């Protein structure tokens, strides 16, 4: 993300009322929580926001709402490509940018089918760049509809146009992350890693920050890691935090985003666990696991002297 500091970019949840309507007061509270935790920017209208379950107008309205609440305090990026022709995608990119975003995010799996070649994908990216003049773009290797990973060579080519400023990486491979960062050296660009399994390595390799679902449980802990990953005086604590995320990866992914909303309720936030997206049953055993996780985090946060956002 151009001109933003190294840090945490939350993949924002979308709060709903129990009747399924968007809960705008809760969206305000959630946005303020991220800001209070120290987020360096916000990623609105993403998979965690249940973007595929929103109408086009809901996408735009929620983006505008987040931008208004933020009030310029940090940059906001948001997804701008969905199903449709490339022309239709370009038009929606323009609308998302007009909503006040710093960059508009392109879903890699929506510019070409899984069977189509990298050459086809690359050509469409270049056309999208041509058809959205002056708008900063980013990429998100979203797992839906399928995960299309960019190679370091591709990313370097796109960043080299001067139009691509952001990348949310989901490759889960630290070597690929290192290669992508190297390919984009020298440009106003930031790679934000989604995978907490190698978060410290990624930050040390030059990632601009982290953009992970774990930030919807413990945003201040992600901020702490971004600020202290290379502090030799806190090396033991950094390793402890890294291990905490590795050990609790499964708990935080199970029936997500319901578990994240329930975790926020455990913190005292007024937010429903309702989701439009069908992610499975929030069973009593999953509930208990989240409650145990919340207790473990409380102990860790006290050890690190973290103040909850």
């Amino acid at each position: 993300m151009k001109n933003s500091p190294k840090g945490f970019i939350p993949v924002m949840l979308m709060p709903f009322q129990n009747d399924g309507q968007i809960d705008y007061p809760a969206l305000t509270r959630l946005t303020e929580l991220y800001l209070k935790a120290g987020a360096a920017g916000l990623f609105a209208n993403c998979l965690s926001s249940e973007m595929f379950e929103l109408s086009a107008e809901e996408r735009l309205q929620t983006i505008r709402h987040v931008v208004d609440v933020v009030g310029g305090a940090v940059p906001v990026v948001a997804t701008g490509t969905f199903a449709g022709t490339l022309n239709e995608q370009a038009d929606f990119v323009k609308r998302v940018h007009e909503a006040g975003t710093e960059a508009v995010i392109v879903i890699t799996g929506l510019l070409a089918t899984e069977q189509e070649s990298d050459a086809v994908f690359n050509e469409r990216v270049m056309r999208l760049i041509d058809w959205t003049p002056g708008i900063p773009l980013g990429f998100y290797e979203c797992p839906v509809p399928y995960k299309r990973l960019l190679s370091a060579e591709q990313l370097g080519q796109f960043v080299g146009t001067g139009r691509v400023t952001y990348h949310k990486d989901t490759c889960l491979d630290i070597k690929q992350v290192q290669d992508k960062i190297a390919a984009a050296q020298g440009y106003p660009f930031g790679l934000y890693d989604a995978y907490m399994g190698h978060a410290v390595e990624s930050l040390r390799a030059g990632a601009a920050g982290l953009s992970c679902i774990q930030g919807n449980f413990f945003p201040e802990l992600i901020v702490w890691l971004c600020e202290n990953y290379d502090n030799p005086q806190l090396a033991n604590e950094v390793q402890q935090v890294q291990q905490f995320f590795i050990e609790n990866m499964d708990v935080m992914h199970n029936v997500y985003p319901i578990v994240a909303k329930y975790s926020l309720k455990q913190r005292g936030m007024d937010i429903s666990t309702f989701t439009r997206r069908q992610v499975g049953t929030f069973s009593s055993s999953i509930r208990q696991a989240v409650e145990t996780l919340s207790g473990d985090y409380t102990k860790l946060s006290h050890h690190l002297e973290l103040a909850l956002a």
Side-chain angles (χ1 to χ4, degrees):
M1 187 182 296
K2 186 172 62 176
N3 298 329
S4 68
K6 182 186 289 282
F8 167 49
I9 309 294
V11 285
M12 296 187 66
L13 295 171
M14 183 57 67
F16 297 102
Q17 301 172 5
N18 289 329
D19 63 2
Q21 296 302 304
I22 294 170
D23 187 341
Y24 283 95
L27 182 57
T28 296
R29 292 191 292 272
L30 186 64
T31 303
E32 291 171 345
L33 174 78
Y34 295 132
L35 294 176
K36 186 179 177 184
L42 297 176
F43 186 174
N45 194 41
C46 56
L47 192 60
S48 290
S49 314
E50 302 177 58
M51 61 183 179
F52 293 115
E53 284 71 41
L54 303 177
S55 68
E57 191 48 50
E58 285 176 326
R59 291 165 185 158
L60 292 169
Q61 189 172 346
T62 54
I63 293 167
R64 293 188 198 105
H65 185 87
V66 170
V67 169
D68 287 345
V69 174
V70 168
V74 297
V76 177
V77 301
T79 304
T81 58
F82 294 91
T85 66
L86 198 62
N87 265 321
E88 290 170 332
Q89 295 191 46
D91 286 343
F92 199 70
V93 165
K94 294 172 185 175
R95 296 181 71 189
V96 170
H97 188 244
E98 289 166 359
T101 58
E102 181 185 89
V104 182
I105 307 305
V106 176
I107 302 298
T108 55
L110 287 173
L111 283 191
T113 67
E114 198 166 1
Q115 292 72 37
E116 288 178 313
S117 67
D118 283 347
V120 169
F121 174 83
N122 294 352
E123 189 272 334
R124 288 179 186 157
V125 169
M126 290 305 184
R127 268 198 288 155
L128 186 66
I129 288 173
D130 286 344
W131 293 353
T132 56
I135 298 176
L137 301 175
F139 292 104
Y140 173 21
E141 296 167 335
C142 183
V144 180
Y146 74 97
K147 186 188 287 192
R148 189 180 193 101
L149 298 176
L150 300 184
S151 69
E153 181 182 6
Q154 285 176 299
L155 186 60
Q157 176 186 354
F158 302 145
V159 171
T161 65
R163 290 281 307 286
V164 174
T165 62
Y166 178 97
H167 177 67
K168 175 177 162 65
D169 196 273
T170 68
C171 73
L172 316 182
D173 183 329
I174 189 61
K175 179 62 167 63
Q176 289 187 45
V177 169
Q178 292 167 340
D179 290 345
K180 289 176 180 177
I181 292 169
Q185 283 291 332
Y187 292 95
F189 166 84
L191 181 148
Y192 291 82
D193 205 332
Y195 183 50
M196 289 303 295
H198 59 220
V200 173
E201 285 184 277
S202 183
L203 290 167
R204 288 176 178 165
L210 303 172
S211 188
C212 50
I213 69 165
Q214 288 81 0
N216 284 317
F217 296 78
F218 317 120
E220 59 283 321
L221 187 58
I222 309 295
V223 172
W224 183 93
L225 193 61
C226 288
E227 292 175 346
N228 294 291
Y229 70 93
D230 220 18
N231 184 340
Q233 295 180 330
L234 294 173
N236 290 337
E237 288 82 357
V238 167
Q239 180 54 38
Q240 187 178 358
V241 171
Q242 175 71 90
Q243 193 61 31
F244 174 81
F245 284 119
I246 292 171
E247 291 175 356
N248 292 292
M249 193 81 67
D250 290 344
V251 175
M252 289 186 270
H253 278 83
N254 205 350
V255 298
Y256 178 85
I258 296 174
V259 290
K261 294 180 178 182
Y262 184 70
S263 180
L264 290 172
K265 285 178 74 74
Q266 293 292 105
R267 295 168 61 112
M269 171 166 278
D270 182 9
I271 185 172
S272 169
T273 58
F274 183 95
T275 58
R276 289 184 185 176
R277 189 178 179 197
Q278 300 303 305
V279 295
T281 302
F282 186 48
S283 65
S284 59
S285 61
I286 295 174
R287 181 189 304 265
Q288 185 175 3
V290 177
E291 291 172 357
T292 299
L293 174 65
S294 296
D296 291 343
Y297 175 65
T298 297
K299 295 174 187 175
L300 178 59
S301 64
H302 287 163
H303 174 64
L304 298 174
E305 298 181 350
L306 279 179
L308 295 185

